[in-house]
Amino acid sequence: METLQGKTAVVTGGASGIGRATALQLAREGAAVTVADLNEAGGQGVVDEIKEAGGRAIFARCDVSQTADCKRTVEETVAAFGGLDILFNNAGIIRRADVLDTTEAEWDQVKAVNIKSIFLMSKYAIPHMAAAGGGSIINTGSGWGLVGGGDAVSYCASKGAVVNMTRAMAIDHGPQNIRVNCICPGDTDTEMLRNEARQLGQSDDTFLEGAGDRPLQRIGTPEDIAQSVLYFAGEQSAWTTGAILVVDGGGLAG
Ligand code: NAD
């Protein structure tokens, strides 16, 4: 049975990795999906995949750090599908450097893409959810929103903010039946992880192998994370808000 029949979702960063897998998963469950991303070719590819499988989807070219793009993405979604029920705030970037080697421009960019994006997308989405009697917002944090990591100071700062703004938003919008939850993935096999390897001057293979050193002895797949997003998107989690779910093969367990 399709659990999200009649629902509409926006997935930011939907062209690749965790966002792509989640867009496909939500569509399989019957949701109409807006794939919002800077990457037009990748995003359109995900839309085509959804449509070929019989689903409904549109692409919105969106830089999530820009007010006008976020506003237009929400407007295009509502125009295409008649509402907005699920917002997956997932687009993100990482700069692998400490304070000394992070430029001020990089600091501002990581904050804009990883934090301000959630503020902007939610600002425009929440009125539509409230008007419809509720909705579900899922923010992508990180294990590094809960513990620190080396050579990633701007990223750790941004993901710590995502974790706590999730709680603040849950408090503010609970009375409108808008649930706000956060997924904290551990190392997941996506372009971002490979990009980290390059930034650190390591080979992809060595880096990914090291990342699998955790109780479940492998790195995550984008589909592992998409399953958890699905839980927060649907009615299974109807009484869950302000929750921070670590999905990391046990990496933070000990
Ligand atoms: P990814 O690089 O595969 O996907 C990120 C997507 O975001 C890309 O499609 C990219 O084009 C898009 N994007 C980047 N900047 C954007 C912008 N300004 N506007 C719109 N789209 C933009 O990476 P991923 O691993 O799937 O990352 C998704 C989320 O998961 C991120 O928030 C990341 O921090 C988080 N995360 C990833 C891991 C991991 O190990 N991969 C671990 C913890 C958290």
Side-chain angles (χ1 to χ4, degrees):
M1 201 187 88
E2 292 176 338
T3 57
L4 298 177
Q5 196 57 249
K7 302 289 185 192
T8 294
V10 172
V11 177
T12 72
S16 170
I18 291 167
R20 173 183 176 276
T22 302
L24 295 171
Q25 179 69 47
L26 297 178
R28 274 195 294 274
E29 291 295 330
V33 179
T34 296
V35 177
D37 206 292
L38 275 177
N39 175 353
E40 204 158 338
Q44 193 56 56
V46 176
V47 167
D48 292 345
E49 256 186 273
I50 291 173
K51 285 183 167 172
E52 279 157 22
R56 294 198 301 158
I58 59 169
F59 174 71
R61 198 199 170 281
C62 176
D63 179 342
V64 290
S65 67
Q66 300 300 314
T67 306
D69 285 16
C70 294
K71 188 166 183 283
R72 182 178 38 76
T73 296
V74 170
E75 286 169 358
E76 286 178 4
T77 301
V78 173
F81 303 125
L84 172 48
D85 309 288
I86 299 155
L87 171 61
F88 183 32
N89 284 314
N90 166 75
I93 55 173
I94 192 165
R95 166 76 180 129
R96 290 301 308 261
D98 64 12
V99 163
L100 300 179
D101 288 334
T102 302
T103 66
E104 191 175 344
E106 287 166 346
W107 174 267
D108 288 345
Q109 180 69 2
V110 169
K111 275 201 321 184
V113 176
N114 293 6
I115 311 173
K116 189 179 179 188
S117 58
I118 297 180
F119 161 71
L120 290 174
M121 287 301 302
S122 303
K123 180 184 262 313
Y124 297 111
I126 283 171
H128 294 285
M129 294 179 173
S136 175
I137 298 175
I138 304 108
N139 299 326
T140 304
S142 168
W144 281 359
L146 300 167
V147 300
D151 290 324
V153 67
S154 56
Y155 185 80
C156 291
S158 73
K159 292 301 185 177
V162 172
V163 165
N164 215 29
M165 76 189 283
T166 297
R167 299 186 181 111
M169 290 168 64
I171 291 167
D172 288 338
H173 302 292
Q176 297 156 301
N177 193 32
I178 297 167
R179 299 180 296 106
V180 189
N181 293 291
C182 179
I183 307 273
C184 287
D187 289 335
T188 303
D189 190 355
T190 68
E191 175 51 31
M192 176 180 278
L193 206 62
R194 289 159 195 275
N195 181 275
E196 284 185 65
R198 288 193 290 276
Q199 289 189 44
L200 294 168
Q202 295 182 22
S203 79
D204 286 14
D205 287 350
T206 310
F207 191 73
L208 266 63
E209 201 182 313
D213 181 17
R214 55 191 66 236
L216 289 180
Q217 309 214 316
R218 65 171 176 86
I219 63 170
T221 65
E223 290 72 23
D224 287 325
I225 312 302
Q227 287 296 337
S228 305
V229 182
L230 179 61
Y231 169 69
F232 282 137
E235 283 304 302
Q236 312 92 302
S237 59
W239 204 49
T240 306
T241 196
I244 314 299
L245 180 64
V246 177
V247 186
D248 73 341
L252 290 188

